[in-house]
Amino acid sequence: MNLEYLIYISLILCCLAVDCETRTTTQDMVEPEFVEADRQYANVFKSLDGSWKGTFTVYRKQGRQSKKSDIPTPWDQTYLESLDLEIQDQIQVSQHYESMSPYFQKVKIIDTYQKDNETHVRESAGVNKVENGRLWCVVDKPDERVVHQGTLEDAHTIIWSRDELSPLRVEYFREMVLDENYTIVGYGYYGSDDPSLEPVTWFHGQYQRVR
């Protein structure tokens, strides 16, 4: 299994059109100083507080990339099921979120997956934070730091994305929390993929709250 695809959430999410100074401050896991622009996002991560367990599935579309199709907005698991996809990897995920303030949340992640007929466990730590009026998710995995920038789609949904070209890692996904259910649906471009064409890699995470 390609560990590039162990994308998380709370994920899972890279900076889009951000200057170097901002990137320097947003790529750390330190709680930032509050500014007035942050107030609009007070408690934006609160619904994630607690523990969750579920499965993160990576799908791959077979054959060569074709002309980019129009992806509906918003789109969800139903759209994913309409595509010709095959399961590439499945990861059992355990996550725990804890808000330290209305603007800063810590997360611990444990991924369990099969590789070469052996069970592997991968632990990561991260934060969700509001900084300078923007949403960020920073996750420290054993082999890399992953940074996503977020936008609020509605009261229950955050859009997370990153756009890195060397090596290619372009991702876009919708993270939705409704009561006891936490869902991620998204796609990514990696390696030799052409971002101007349709995505080859898609993913879906479905988690339930653990009491």
Side-chain angles (χ1 to χ4, degrees), residues 60-122:
R60 189 165 181 84
K61 193 164 187 179
Q62 300 305 300
R64 296 182 178 180
Q65 284 182 276
S66 59
K67 182 178 179 180
K68 194 164 188 176
S69 58
D70 293 329
I71 300 174
T73 304
W75 47 274
D76 54 19
Q77 183 183 358
T78 302
Y79 176 71
L80 198 67
E81 292 171 350
S82 71
L83 303 175
D84 181 23
L85 303 176
E86 292 187 3
I87 294 177
Q88 177 167 306
D89 294 307
Q90 284 192 313
I91 306 151
Q92 301 307 309
V93 183
S94 176
Q95 309 164 66
H96 182 78
Y97 294 86
E98 182 179 4
S99 289
M100 313 307 292
S101 79
Y103 310 97
F104 187 78
Q105 183 182 65
K106 293 184 178 181
V107 57
K108 294 181 180 179
I109 307 161
I110 300 177
D111 294 327
T112 304
Y113 58 94
Q114 297 293 318
K115 181 181 179 182
D116 299 328
N117 296 318
E118 295 183 357
T119 299
H120 295 259
V121 178
R122 179 182 172 95

Side-chain angles (χ1 to χ4, degrees), residues 1-20:
M1 129 178 214
N2 193 332
L3 293 183
E4 276 185 334
Y5 299 136
L6 291 176
I7 307 160
Y8 183 82
I9 349 293
S10 8
L11 316 21
I12 134 228
L13 336 200
C14 160
C15 314
L16 294 176
V18 187
D19 60 35
C20 294

Side-chain angles (χ1 to χ4, degrees), residues 36 45-46 82-83 89 107 134 157:
E36 187 60 32
F45 308 120
K46 186 68 176 177
S82 71
L83 303 175
D89 294 307
V107 57
R134 295 181 177 180
T157 308

Side-chain angles (χ1 to χ4, degrees), residues 98-164:
E98 182 179 4
S99 289
M100 313 307 292
S101 79
Y103 310 97
F104 187 78
Q105 183 182 65
K106 293 184 178 181
V107 57
K108 294 181 180 179
I109 307 161
I110 300 177
D111 294 327
T112 304
Y113 58 94
Q114 297 293 318
K115 181 181 179 182
D116 299 328
N117 296 318
E118 295 183 357
T119 299
H120 295 259
V121 178
R122 179 182 172 95
E123 297 187 15
S124 306
V127 300
N128 291 323
K129 62 179 180 176
V130 182
E131 184 171 6
N132 295 324
R134 295 181 177 180
L135 306 181
W136 298 93
C137 176
V138 183
V139 176
D140 267 347
K141 297 183 178 183
D143 56 353
E144 66 172 329
R145 172 168 288 185
V146 180
V147 182
H148 287 84
Q149 183 174 350
T151 57
L152 194 62
E153 182 175 274
D154 57 41
H156 307 287
T157 308
I158 298 177
I159 304 298
W160 293 106
S161 60
R162 66 169 170 166
D163 190 357
E164 301 174 6

